[in-house]
Amino acid sequence: MSSCFKLIKKDGEARRGELTTVHGTVQTPLFMNVGTVAAIKGGVSSEDLENIGCQVELSNTYHLHVRTGDELIKRFGGLHKFMDWHKPILTDSGGFQVFSLASMRKIKEEGVTFRSHIDGHKIFMGPEESMRIQSNLGSTIAMAFDECPPAKAEREYVLPSVQRTERWLARCKAEMDRLNSLEDTINIDQLLFGINQGAVYNDIRIDNAKRISELDLPGYAIGGLAVGETHEEMYDVIAHTAPFLPSDKPRYLMGVGTPANILEAVERGIDMFDCVYPSRNGRHGHLYTHFGKININNAKYAEDDRPIEEGCGCPACRRYSRAYIRHLHKSGEMLGLRLCVLHNLYFYNHLMEEIRQSIDEDRFASFKKELLDNMNSSVE
Ligand SMILES: [Zn+2]
């Protein structure tokens, strides 16, 4: 698994890069659109993803494993064929859901035993199982199986947990190498990303970053953030940890975040993001614009004939007024929810495009400041 990341240029610590995979080349910094069960909640199709500028789709290993099953998806030729999406797909390892959703967890060196949140049946998942499931799904990028300790966990808990996750990472790598050498493997070029953990303890994070870097994986993530710590703590961890991850590999900040979080993280050297905020907020009618968030349910939009945001190229803004979308929302029509989700996802993907352009033109800092000032002015 050689590196397929090209660092094109830097503006301060902000990075412009290009990630080449068997499913095509994508430009970084980028946002991955979260399709939990191989679909983004809100009635968003693979065709829609193409229309909103999505570069990478993200699906959840745990959810697909417990419902429908990765073996069935493998029989369909993998996720790309199953959902008819042919650009890169990243699958998470299932670890985060095992630790946040499943009940009756028992963690051992071998892995974790837990009960499905769907029907309560007992499941065992360790590094090898996670790699096999992700190999069945045939994603472009597979994430290592890790434990994500709570943000407020004590050092005494975090340190042994991180050390076990390191041992799990070596097992993930060995298993993926084996799977990628098998004849019936769907994607023999599947890439494994390692995950840095360590809660808010910078020394544990840095030690871990150094050790996992030695495995020379195609990419690295910073995990276990945006799980209850303050924004300042999160930015501090990123600033301290990112420099100890290889500069010639992509860096992915898992599960983050707001547009402001993304701007701050790009400034500290992060290349890849994913978050459910745009789709979740869209479903509630909370819409992102360059001038802050608007709540389409507000009475003042009842007769507003403007699009959600002037100049936005998304499928909702190209055609429909705030008044119409508000009417759909108020009437409980699914189309209202769908249009709002499409707008928000387009906003995030387009924001990344603007970020990339500002780095290309050596003006990331001024772009960031202006956008944050405008977004804080809030139109509500
Ligand atoms: Zn729009």
Side-chain angles (χ1 to χ4, degrees), residues 6-24:
K6 190 168 108 195
L7 182 59
I8 299 170
K9 73 173 300 219
K10 282 177 79 177
D11 178 8
E13 288 304 310
R15 292 145 53 95
R16 257 295 273 130
E18 207 171 74
L19 178 64
T20 298
T21 75
V22 71
H23 298 116

Side-chain angles (χ1 to χ4, degrees), residues 296 298-305 322-324 326-327:
I296 201 69
N298 281 351
K300 65 177 176 179
Y301 301 122
E303 297 194 38
D304 194 332
D305 64 357
R322 292 175 176 180
Y324 178 62
R326 178 177 183 277
H327 152 76

Side-chain angles (χ1 to χ4, degrees), residues 73 352 372:
I73 293 171
M352 304 315 291
L372 288 180

Side-chain angles (χ1 to χ4, degrees), residues 126-153:
E128 290 78 12
E129 288 73 17
S130 172
M131 291 302 106
R132 276 174 227 153
I133 295 168
Q134 295 184 76
S135 180
N136 285 343
L137 297 173
S139 57
T140 316
I141 300 168
M143 297 305 298
F145 188 73
D146 64 334
E147 183 188 358
C148 173
K152 301 293 173 200

